[in-house]
Amino acid sequence: MRKDGREQAQLRPVNMIKNYIIHPEGSVLIEMGNTKVICNASVEESVPPFKKMSGEGWVTAEYSMLPRATNTRNKRDISKGKQNARSVEIQRLIGRSLRMAVDFKLLGERTITVDCDVIQADGGTRTASITGGFVALYLACEKLVEDGVLEKSPIVNFVSAISVGIVDGKPCLDLCYVEDSSAEVDMNVVMTDKGEFIELQGTGENNTFGMDALNELLALAKAGNEELNKIQRQVLGV
């Protein structure tokens, strides 16, 4: 039994509220345990310079955390004069992951930016941002179809992400902060609904790990992502 009473292969309670913010083309509040992230997808009728005249669109992401999303207050990036390096790394991961969901030719020359704002953090903020960010992205694409901008949705894959790790010598799914901070091995796994990997981020924080442990962690992550995919579909009604 884990610190919060869960079994090793059990997700934290997951809740998603779509259209949480009224202004973006797509929006969702995702709650995974005590981690809460607002994901907003905004459509712009332009593309970055490297995509101009290509007939293709683009998907990108931004990530930030409210100053008191954690136990102690963090200074806002604007007060430091530059963006937090951790935030830059995470938003690049979110962008790379969500780009695997979209056919850029079907999207056409427009950009969808997915903003992920953590309002409460208890581990797994990047994986929650990807899972919720996809739902916001899907909703934005559906809005483009509803408005007659696109003939069909450019979504080609569902995308989700989950953390796994070895805690107290045992492989565990969906680490909360206490587990994440003490894990011997920590990994984030991003996948499509077809069971294909998009990105693996794994580190032996306090110990090395072998192939057997890696395979066990990946199997846990696969099962967790399959469960998240079902929740995404329930929320979207598809």
Side-chain angles (χ1 to χ4, degrees):
M1 194 69 71
R2 295 159 69 176
K3 293 177 176 64
D4 56 7
R6 285 182 292 147
E7 301 294 332
Q8 287 171 244
Q10 187 177 357
L11 289 172
R12 291 176 289 178
V14 181
N15 184 45
M16 295 188 220
I17 303 173
K18 66 179 182 179
N19 303 318
Y20 188 72
I21 304 295
I22 64 172
H23 300 296
E25 283 77 11
S27 177
V28 67
L29 168 68
I30 179 169
E31 301 172 317
M32 297 194 66
N34 287 322
T35 289
K36 301 181 181 184
V37 187
I38 297 174
C39 305
N40 293 320
S42 303
V43 179
E44 296 175 90
E45 294 295 320
S46 61
V47 289
F50 68 91
K51 279 287 186 180
K52 285 185 176 179
M53 305 301 291
S54 68
E56 296 185 346
W58 189 243
V59 173
T60 188
E62 294 191 10
Y63 169 97
S64 67
M65 189 178 289
L66 289 185
R68 201 56 205 272
T70 55
N71 286 331
T72 57
R73 185 183 187 276
N74 295 308
K75 290 184 177 180
R76 297 182 191 272
D77 288 347
I78 193 169
S79 69
K80 296 179 286 188
K82 63 177 181 179
Q83 191 173 15
N84 179 280
R86 177 179 177 274
S87 295
V88 172
E89 184 266 323
I90 291 174
Q91 71 187 33
R92 286 176 177 168
L93 168 65
I94 298 168
R96 288 194 301 270
S97 301
L98 296 182
R99 283 193 282 276
M100 294 298 103
V102 175
D103 182 324
F104 291 147
K105 286 192 179 296
L106 289 178
L107 179 59
E109 287 198 31
R110 53 185 55 86
T111 298
I112 302 180
T113 301
V114 180
D115 290 293
C116 301
D117 292 288
V118 180
I119 60 175
Q120 186 167 282
D122 185 30
T125 61
R126 71 185 68 195
T127 52
S129 294
I130 292 168
T131 302
F134 169 78
V135 174
L137 175 64
Y138 186 102
L139 290 169
C141 291
E142 287 295 296
K143 183 74 162 57
L144 289 172
V145 175
E146 290 170 12
D147 291 348
V149 178
L150 298 178
E151 290 186 9
K152 63 179 290 188
S153 173
I155 297 292
V156 291
N157 293 306
F158 271 60
V159 172
S160 63
I162 197 65
S163 65
V164 287
I166 297 176
V167 183
D168 297 329
K170 297 177 181 178
C172 294
L173 178 70
D174 189 17
L175 308 187
C176 64
Y177 176 75
V178 173
E179 293 174 325
D180 183 55
S181 61
S182 63
E184 296 109 74
V185 177
D186 179 25
M187 182 177 291
N188 299 302
V189 181
V190 189
M191 299 183 71
T192 71
D193 58 325
K194 300 178 179 68
E196 298 168 329
F197 296 107
I198 296 174
E199 188 151 344
L200 307 175
Q201 295 183 334
T203 306
E205 298 282 0
N206 297 304
N207 207 345
T208 57
F209 58 103
M211 187 62 73
D212 289 344
L214 175 61
N215 288 334
E216 195 166 2
L217 289 174
L218 291 178
L220 262 184
K222 184 175 185 293
N225 275 312
E226 287 173 352
E227 192 170 347
L228 288 173
N229 175 239
K230 290 178 183 177
I231 296 170
Q232 288 174 324
R233 290 183 181 276
Q234 289 170 359
V235 170
L236 293 166
V238 296

